[in-house]
Amino acid sequence: MTHTDFIPYGRQSISEDDIAAVVKSLRSDFLTQGPCVNEFEHAICTKVGARYGVAANSATSALHLACLALGVGAGDTVWTSPNTFIASANCARYCGANVDFVDIDPRTYNMCADKLAEKLATAHTKGQLPKVVIPVHFAGQSCDMQAIHALSKKYGFHIIEDASHAIGAKYQGQYVGNGAFSDVCVFSFHPVKIITSAEGGMAVTNNEQLANHMRTHAQQGTTRSPDELTEMPGDWYYEQQTLGFNYRMTELQAALGASQLSRLDDFIQRRHAQFSHYETLLKDFPITLPFQAKDTVSALHLFPILLPEANKTARKSVFDILRQAGIGTQVHYIPVHTQPYYQALGFKQGDYPVAEDYYARTLSLPLFADLTPTQQERVVLILKHALIANQVMSA
Ligand SMILES: *Cc1c(COP(=O)(O)O)cnc(C)c1O
């Protein structure tokens, strides 16, 4: 099989304009710390309706910066979803905080707002409330942010949206990232995500203090801002006022990201057309397709299907048949609490049964901007063959 026959579950779409934008930045005076990063930050803010944007070299770094800015440290607890990429939890561990999880809704696969309410009520009686909750907009569909935000007012915690899957998604008619229901929102620009800067991420917020804190900590804890300096001996001067990191995004990355951002609407439109095509092709299949909640327009980062409860042991065989036929299916996600690192912290199988049951039965079918209807038809043909081979459906 040639490489071109392989259909990955996700991949970037790079245009000649994207390439020209990167080449232009390569020929410019700055490869890092130039104008492109600021322009990209402004462009993202304008798109999603946020006041401040802080670019970083990854969404993982941006999540870390957001936790630090909200004061997360040793002795604090951060709650997130078990159905996510490990970075949503690791960011709290970098700060020395404890992590805990809230099980998912069986239809949206997002953090369940009712379970969050129950867990908060219990934590409140024990004096163990979280400092920050990190809802993850799984597969590009917003969580029930209105409910989570109302709980944050009742119990006094902060909210970081992990919107790594969800740039361009809408909730209640507004772009995810506008900050109506959270303190900070983080996007990822990894190549499998909706738009890419190769590696890269961004934290957006409407709070100037949080933005300044994140910006300072992304550049070694330094500032050049005249109103923050203790003295101003000359133009060379900067001060390290705290301990930070080098989490900077390069100009090349920002140039690519900005060029990709101009294609965001088209990417989302294409993903929605692909979603509809899968719905048509799969309508008689005994599998559960991704549920789309009212009040949300998903960015459709992923297309996770669910095998019937009775056939959950077939998942591995279906996965293997797809992979052997050159279909790059993947599983999103291994519940974070079952990772050996988190088990060593005391979590165990059985702690979050909905996320675990979902994990046992799910597969993500390919979904990315340049996926063709013909490729989708091939994916579905092989899926049908795999389901028949496993007696999940009859021929
Ligand atoms: C991809 C991803 C991240 C991390 O993104 P990077 O840019 O690769 O650091 C974090 N959270 C979720 C849910 C993701 O899918």
Side-chain angles (χ1 to χ4, degrees), residues 229-247:
L229 296 173
T230 59
E231 55 174 327
M232 186 52 197
D235 278 347
W236 68 86
Y237 193 66
Y238 62 87
E239 280 179 3
Q240 184 193 353
Q241 298 182 337
T242 182
L243 186 64
F245 305 86
N246 179 355
Y247 279 171

Side-chain angles (χ1 to χ4, degrees), residues 68-147:
L68 289 171
L70 290 169
V72 173
D76 293 326
T77 304
V78 172
W79 293 2
T80 189
S81 170
N83 182 35
T84 185
F85 184 57
I86 48 179
S88 316
N90 288 347
C91 58
R93 297 293 300 154
Y94 300 152
C95 304
N98 299 314
V99 169
D100 205 350
F101 302 92
V102 180
D103 210 349
I104 61 171
D105 177 285
R107 284 205 303 178
T108 63
Y109 319 138
N110 275 331
M111 176 186 283
C112 174
D114 292 338
K115 291 201 183 88
L116 175 62
E118 280 169 38
K119 195 175 171 106
L120 285 164
T122 308
H124 179 60
T125 62
K126 294 183 184 165
Q128 293 174 347
L129 285 169
K131 182 156 210 163
V132 173
V133 173
I134 307 181
V136 181
H137 303 320
F138 178 74
Q141 174 166 250
S142 176
C143 296
D144 184 354
M145 290 310 299
Q146 191 174 326

Side-chain angles (χ1 to χ4, degrees), residues 323-336:
R323 279 287 181 96
Q324 278 153 21
I327 311 296
T329 180
Q330 198 31 291
V331 172
H332 301 94
Y333 283 97
I334 304 162
V336 176

Side-chain angles (χ1 to χ4, degrees), residues 26 157 373:
L26 267 173
F157 57 84

Side-chain angles (χ1 to χ4, degrees), residues 28 56 69 72 76-77 96 122 125 142 155 158 195 216 222 230 232 260 299 328 342 370 379:
S28 77
V72 173
D76 293 326
T77 304
T122 308
T125 62
S142 176
Y155 291 103
H158 295 292
I195 60 170
T216 300
T222 61
T230 59
M232 186 52 197
Q260 287 261 304
Y342 283 96
D370 293 335
V379 169

